[in-house]
Amino acid sequence: MKTERARELYSDYAEGTLSPAMRLALEQHFESDPTARADYDQFARIYSLLDSADAVEVDVPLGFRARVLELATQEQAKRSAVSQPRSLLDWLRPASRRWATGGLAALAVIGLAVFLPRAMSPNSVNISDVRGLSLAAPRNVSASVITGVSTQVTAGGGTQYLFHVHLPRAVPNATVTAFVALDAASLLNPATRAQATPALRQPQTLANDEEMQIPITLQQAASPGSTLNMYLQWQTPDSKTSGAQIVFTPIAGAGRASTAAPGGLLDALQQISAVYGVTVIADADTVPSQAAQADVSSPDALAALKAVAGPLKQDVQKLPDGSFHVFPNL
Amino acid sequence: MDDAISARQRDAKAAANAEEKEIIERCKRGDLGAFNELIKKYEKQVYNFAYRLTGNYDDANDVAQDAFLRVFNAIQSFRGDSSFSTWLFRITTNVFLDERKKRRAHPQTSLDEQLDLEESSVVRQIEDPGPTPDLLVEGKERGQILHEAVGALPEYQRTMVVLYHSEQKSYEEIAEVMQLPIGTVKSRLNRARLALKEKLSPIQELFNS
């Protein structure tokens, strides 16, 4: 047997898959040529090493998944730019939902919620490993589940609002539901809230190491003083822990609102959002019942918020993206 | 008892397959949340496969990222003829090979080429411009030397060695991933192992223990 022919059989011989005749021929070749046997023995050692060597294991870089999703979202946006966006009305029929037709005229496409791994803050400390990110919470901050609202221009030139959602650190996972409306009153009343437009097509499970981004796109111009409003509720699987927040975000180009008659705290917060052009997030399940009126002569949004929230034992904090979170002062 | 355990394992596997199938269907409908779940499930596997092929983090990141994007764009064409994992490995392999093709500044010399002499054929030895093996040994672990030797193989051989020995794929699975006949996979893998033997034989005493 020629040397090169013998070498072609090495792997099969090592794996025991040669036919009996071929195995015999190869072994006779080894007996007749000691260097051939030595050659095979070296091969067998390398084969064995390849099989037994621990495969190199590396961690996936932080932000990998977020980057892939970002690119995929861009791809999807390019695709949908060449097709008509789905009408919200199409999505919400059948006719049993008659309540939808009036309030939905100004709302267009509710996009698909995107889940991203939570980005590491550049100011984080005590990061022990990539997997169990231990982000030290800043001091004196009450955790807001809605962490902000950003906007981006759609392919069609419209404005898409992205509501960013992240669970409190103590909550490993929860089911999230959300409703959106231009008319905040419908969200504030539990009886009408369930009839409002769902911002998520179905309740979504969110894990603590993820950020959910809920996209809402407006199709037509809104009247002055309008805000885009979302009511978001979350509950843990065992139903023992839950929470709700409402967020008012100004609609671009909506114009300055006129002073409204006194209502409750949430009415005042909505007005401040519209007048000062800031996003205001409030804990919806602990709203005081007293009347409140926004003082829109305050120099800035923070002052206006403190003026209305302070007397009702509410604190105000400014979030990293410029939004404001109003929460009970316990 | 063993039958009960096997049945439970089978049921668990069937449930996992059904769940994955549902996620893939949602992906086909453009559900980015479902795509996120797929990435979450396979990112470690894909990234490590890419790292074993490329040998460095940056290239592995590019290959893995492009592989998932190709999956996203091509998910409609996934029919389930092979497992999703095999399809994903095939895409990752193609991304790697495509990127290498683009980078090549000069024609690749394949160790498959042979010079026919009168009575026997020899495999042409490619001069390794890198440090000699005995210099490589100094300060390096055996595994690292092996990893680097695999990394120095031509791309097709390297891919097959990684698929077989690191990813523990069978010849049949590799044939599916590489879209080659099984016989071709076996012969190329054999040549890859022979090439590694040639490369490492000067320092074989390191591997004898």
Side-chain angles (χ1 to χ4, degrees):
Chain A
M1 182 183 288
K2 289 186 180 176
T3 301
E4 283 315 306
R5 176 61 186 137
R7 282 179 164 177
E8 285 172 9
L9 304 177
Y10 279 6
S11 287
D12 285 321
Y13 186 63
E15 291 160 7
T17 53
L18 278 182
S19 68
M22 291 307 300
R23 189 173 68 244
L24 182 63
L26 186 61
E27 285 170 354
Q28 284 173 343
H29 172 73
F30 290 151
E31 279 174 25
S32 67
D33 183 355
T35 57
R37 166 55 79 177
D39 187 54
Y40 172 75
D41 286 344
Q42 281 181 27
F43 176 91
R45 271 195 292 278
I46 297 299
Y47 188 111
S48 173
L49 270 166
L50 284 169
D51 250 8
S52 61
D54 292 330
V56 173
E57 283 273 333
V58 294
D59 286 328
V60 180
L62 193 64
F64 173 82
R65 186 157 32 112
R67 179 70 185 140
V68 173
L69 279 168
E70 185 187 333
L71 292 169
T73 306
Q74 288 171 10
E75 287 284 321
Q76 197 173 59
K78 277 186 216 165
R79 283 187 225 157
S80 58
V82 298
S83 60
Q84 291 295 321
R86 246 177 110 198
S87 157
L88 186 61
L89 292 175
D90 288 336
W91 181 61
L92 281 178
R93 286 181 183 130
S96 58
R97 297 201 181 208
R98 289 191 301 274
W99 53 267
T101 54
L104 290 175
L107 292 176
V109 180
I110 286 184
L112 298 164
V114 175
F115 294 76
L116 304 174
R118 188 163 183 233
M120 197 166 86
S121 161
N123 297 321
S124 301
V125 296
N126 301 327
I127 305 297
S128 55
D129 61 70
V130 170
R131 290 187 190 287
L133 282 178
S134 300
L135 298 176
R139 287 179 297 170
N140 301 324
V141 168
S142 173
S144 175
V145 172
I146 299 173
T147 55
V149 182
S150 59
T151 58
Q152 57 191 27
V153 179
T154 63
T159 302
Q160 184 181 70
Y161 297 81
L162 281 174
F163 292 79
H164 302 262
V165 180
H166 185 263
L167 292 175
R169 196 185 308 178
V171 179
N173 59 80
T175 301
V176 175
T177 53
F179 301 91
V180 64
L182 292 177
D183 165 26
S186 66
L187 294 178
L188 302 178
N189 184 337
T192 53
R193 185 184 311 136
Q195 307 295 323
T197 306
L200 297 169
R201 296 189 183 191
Q202 56 193 17
Q204 296 282 349
T205 302
L206 179 63
N208 187 272
D209 64 348
E210 294 176 314
E211 180 188 74
M212 182 194 293
Q213 293 179 2
I214 306 176
I216 308 286
T217 304
L218 290 183
Q219 201 173 38
Q220 62 189 67
S223 52
S226 296
T227 55
L228 180 57
N229 317 300
M230 180 179 287
Y231 179 91
L232 186 135
Q233 214 169 8
W234 58 269
Q235 187 173 55
T236 52
D238 60 8
S239 303
K240 288 184 181 171
T241 313
S242 62
Q245 286 193 316
I246 188 162
V247 55
F248 310 101
T249 196
I251 294 177
R256 191 177 172 85
S258 57
T259 306
L265 173 64
L266 294 178
D267 297 306
L269 297 181
Q270 185 194 13
Q271 192 186 6
I272 291 172
S273 168
V275 168
Y276 291 90
V278 298
T279 295
V280 180
I281 303 158
D283 292 349
D285 47 0
T286 52
V287 180
S289 55
Q290 298 94 315
Q293 183 167 15
D295 178 7
V296 296
S297 66
S298 296
D300 55 46
L302 181 59
L305 286 168
K306 284 184 172 176
V308 72
L312 299 175
K313 295 188 175 24
Q314 303 278 312
D315 261 341
V316 182
Q317 85 187 45
K318 191 170 183 179
L319 299 179
D321 76 328
S323 307
F324 292 91
H325 177 211
V326 178
F327 57 97
N329 181 357
L330 298 172
Chain B
M1 177 71 159
D2 287 343
D3 287 345
I5 294 171
S6 299
R8 270 205 298 277
Q9 285 172 342
R10 273 199 305 275
D11 290 345
K13 194 174 176 186
N17 286 344
E19 188 187 340
E20 183 173 276
K21 199 175 168 186
E22 193 259 335
I23 290 171
I24 291 168
E25 288 306 311
R26 282 166 50 205
C27 274
K28 288 184 179 182
R29 294 194 290 270
D31 185 337
L32 280 168
F35 182 56
N36 178 61
E37 288 176 53
L38 269 184
I39 303 173
K40 209 169 170 177
K41 184 173 180 184
Y42 286 105
E43 60 179 348
K44 186 174 168 72
Q45 214 175 340
V46 168
Y47 188 83
N48 272 281
F49 178 45
Y51 181 78
R52 289 165 198 153
L53 288 176
T54 60
N56 72 81
Y57 293 103
D58 288 339
D59 288 350
N61 192 68
D62 289 343
V63 167
Q65 185 176 279
D66 287 349
F68 276 114
L69 273 178
R70 276 204 202 177
V71 163
F72 181 74
N73 287 326
I75 191 79
Q76 298 291 344
S77 66
F78 176 67
R79 292 182 299 275
D81 299 334
S82 61
S83 71
F84 181 79
S85 165
T86 299
W87 189 63
L88 181 53
F89 267 82
R90 188 187 310 155
I91 288 179
T92 309
T93 300
N94 288 340
V95 168
F96 165 69
L97 294 172
D98 288 347
E99 291 191 2
R100 289 291 139 147
K101 266 189 221 164
K102 283 183 208 164
R103 280 190 197 192
R104 275 202 295 269
H106 54 271
Q108 178 75 17
T109 304
S110 164
L111 283 175
D112 291 346
E113 291 175 6
Q114 297 195 357
L115 298 170
D116 278 322
L117 298 182
E118 281 186 14
E119 290 194 352
S120 63
S121 296
V122 297
V123 174
R124 176 159 49 164
Q125 298 300 310
I126 307 301
E127 188 175 334
D128 184 352
T132 54
D134 54 340
L135 291 175
L136 285 173
V137 166
E138 205 172 308
K140 286 197 176 171
E141 291 184 28
R142 192 164 67 180
Q144 181 63 22
I145 294 170
L146 194 59
H147 175 70
E148 288 177 2
V150 171
L153 289 172
E155 290 103 6
Y156 273 90
Q157 291 185 3
R158 187 191 325 167
T159 303
M160 289 190 189
V161 167
V162 169
L163 281 168
Y164 187 89
H165 291 286
S166 299
E167 303 295 334
Q168 307 278 298
K169 299 291 182 194
S170 66
Y171 285 121
E172 289 77 10
E173 285 171 317
I174 297 173
E176 266 197 83
V177 168
M178 308 280 305
Q179 299 278 276
L180 292 169
I182 289 182
T184 305
V185 169
K186 285 186 167 187
S187 67
R188 286 193 184 178
L189 255 172
N190 189 60
R191 276 189 225 130
R193 292 164 185 144
L194 284 166
L196 284 170
K197 179 187 79 68
E198 294 303 318
K199 189 169 180 69
L200 295 171
S201 59
I203 50 168
Q204 64 169 307
E205 65 279 0
L206 183 70
F207 296 93
N208 282 349
S209 59

